[in-house]
Amino acid sequence: MINFMDLSIGVLSKQVGCKVPTIRYYEQIGLLSKPLRTNGNQRRYTQMHLQELAFIRHARELGFSIDSIKQLIAMNNDYEANSSGHLADEIAIRHLKKIEKKIEQLSLLRDEMKTMLVACAEGKSHNCQVMNILSDHQLCEHDHS
Amino acid sequence: MINFMDLSIGVLSKQVGCKVPTIRYYEQIGLLSKPLRTNGNQRRYTQMHLQELAFIRHARELGFSIDSIKQLIAMNNDYEANSSGHLADEIAIRHLKKIEKKIEQLSLLRDEMKTMLVACAEGKSHNCQVMNILSDHQLCEHDHS
DNA sequence: TATAAAACCTCTAGTCACTAGAGGTTCAAG
DNA sequence: CTTGAACCTCTAGTGACTAGAGGTTTTATA
């Protein structure tokens, strides 16, 4: 039963800030529930869908993988799992650790890039130091990542 | 003319710390020069290849895209472009800015995740705050990225 | 009412940087 | 000589989208 207040995919896209093809993609991979269709086969979304998609977008923007989001949604749909412990915050803690590790790695990279650019500025020579420093990495330890 | 000192792909892989399929991939996309082959069609790499691959790996580990690395290598091969200015460090500066922006975004995300987990710990309620906070994002401004 | 443009649809394939696996050949060691 | 390791090409998959072809439906305007 489609309600005149239901949203076309374009309207939903604008309200949530998620591209139309991405919404279709989410439905295809089973992340977002399928909406009802008009007689012309167009999707019409309810406010429930809007909240569902907003949840997904928020989690994606926080860097959760689609798989983690599926788990979160499954937990939300399963009242028993919800009451059996804080599985959602375990997922979030795991994710926070990933973010913190990524920040650490990027900070090391930033420092290395800055060092390289400082050397490049001081070099002032004909051969650019960026190239030299990248080339100077041969046979070194491989623990950058 | 293959020299007995030339390296098989497996040896090169170990010395540079780059997987065999990735080495083949780099050759396929034109990033790494093609080596000579044995009569049995096996690749044999010179020390020049080793330096070339080390350069590529270093740049990749620093987060340069393959396209940027292609540009850097092209500049290295073109003496005139090399002498016409510090194009390599312009690429590096551009890249540094990307890294710094990414760190900033991740730091915001980390802070948001921490806030969420603190709320979750204090909540102690039946409904986990991670789910609630993700759900509370509806119709907000979309400037997370 | 007719028309044209906008918005919708499915499907296929591409993006980026790899990665995996099938099915075969060559090399090296015992 | 035999066997296992290392090599080869080729195709397709990974994750999270994104693009485009070719078509249908909806909407707004004259």
Side-chain angles (χ1 to χ4, degrees):
Chain A
M1 175 64 205
I2 298 187
N3 177 349
F4 84 95
M5 290 180 67
D6 289 348
L7 310 173
S8 73
I9 195 169
V11 173
L12 180 69
S13 164
K14 289 187 179 65
Q15 293 205 8
V16 178
C18 176
K19 291 181 182 173
V20 165
T22 309
I23 297 173
R24 292 198 196 106
Y25 170 66
Y26 288 157
E27 174 187 329
Q28 181 201 329
I29 61 175
L31 191 61
L32 178 67
S33 314
K34 288 182 193 297
L36 294 179
R37 303 282 185 122
T38 64
N39 287 336
N41 200 31
Q42 297 194 3
R43 295 167 172 81
R44 289 293 180 266
Y45 295 96
T46 63
Q47 292 295 321
M48 287 297 299
H49 288 108
L50 187 149
Q51 288 173 20
E52 197 178 338
L53 183 62
F55 179 92
I56 291 163
R57 285 313 306 165
H58 193 196
R60 283 294 303 128
E61 282 158 6
L62 291 179
F64 286 91
S65 69
I66 294 218
D67 210 47
S68 294
I69 299 171
K70 280 184 177 174
Q71 290 175 34
L72 290 173
I73 290 175
M75 279 189 300
N76 205 26
N77 292 344
D78 183 357
Y79 183 74
E80 206 53 38
N82 219 8
S83 64
S84 69
H86 291 279
L87 286 186
D89 61 332
E90 282 180 24
I91 290 177
I93 288 170
R94 190 190 322 149
H95 183 55
L96 173 62
K97 284 181 179 164
K98 274 197 254 173
I99 292 181
E100 284 175 334
K101 184 174 175 187
K102 189 69 183 178
I103 291 175
E104 189 183 321
Q105 289 170 353
L106 284 172
S107 299
L108 289 177
L109 291 186
R110 179 199 56 203
D111 293 344
E112 191 169 348
M113 292 294 302
K114 285 193 171 180
T115 301
M116 183 158 58
L117 285 169
V118 167
C120 194
E122 292 173 352
K124 296 254 177 1
S125 65
H126 210 90
N127 294 323
C128 181
Q129 290 299 310
V130 171
M131 307 300 293
N132 288 340
I133 289 175
L134 288 179
S135 302
D136 213 5
H137 188 51
Q138 58 187 340
L139 304 181
C140 81
E141 291 178 9
H142 305 301
D143 58 356
H144 279 273
S145 61
Chain B
M1 176 60 204
I2 298 184
N3 176 350
F4 83 96
M5 293 182 66
D6 290 347
L7 310 173
S8 72
I9 195 168
V11 173
L12 179 68
S13 163
K14 290 189 179 62
Q15 293 206 7
V16 177
C18 176
K19 290 181 181 174
V20 165
T22 309
I23 297 173
R24 292 199 195 105
Y25 170 67
Y26 289 157
E27 175 187 329
Q28 181 201 329
I29 61 176
L31 192 61
L32 178 67
S33 314
K34 289 180 191 295
L36 294 180
R37 303 281 185 124
T38 64
N39 287 336
N41 200 30
Q42 296 194 4
R43 296 167 172 82
R44 289 294 181 262
Y45 295 95
T46 64
Q47 291 296 317
M48 286 297 299
H49 287 108
L50 188 149
Q51 288 174 18
E52 198 178 339
L53 183 62
F55 179 92
I56 292 164
R57 285 314 305 167
H58 194 194
R60 283 296 300 129
E61 283 158 6
L62 291 178
F64 285 92
S65 70
I66 293 216
D67 210 47
S68 294
I69 300 171
K70 280 184 178 174
Q71 290 175 35
L72 291 173
I73 290 175
M75 280 188 300
N76 205 26
N77 292 344
D78 182 359
Y79 185 74
E80 206 53 37
N82 220 8
S83 64
S84 69
H86 291 279
L87 286 185
D89 61 332
E90 281 180 24
I91 291 178
I93 288 170
R94 191 193 320 150
H95 183 56
L96 173 61
K97 284 181 178 161
K98 274 197 256 174
I99 292 181
E100 284 176 332
K101 185 176 176 187
K102 189 69 186 180
I103 290 176
E104 190 183 320
Q105 289 170 355
L106 283 171
S107 298
L108 288 177
L109 291 184
R110 179 199 54 204
D111 293 344
E112 192 169 347
M113 292 294 302
K114 285 193 168 178
T115 300
M116 180 157 61
L117 284 170
V118 167
C120 195
E122 290 173 350
K124 295 261 177 8
S125 66
H126 210 85
N127 294 323
C128 179
Q129 290 300 311
V130 170
M131 308 299 295
N132 288 337
I133 289 173
L134 287 179
S135 302
D136 214 6
H137 187 52
Q138 56 186 340
L139 302 182
C140 80
E141 290 179 13
H142 306 300
D143 57 355
H144 280 275
S145 60

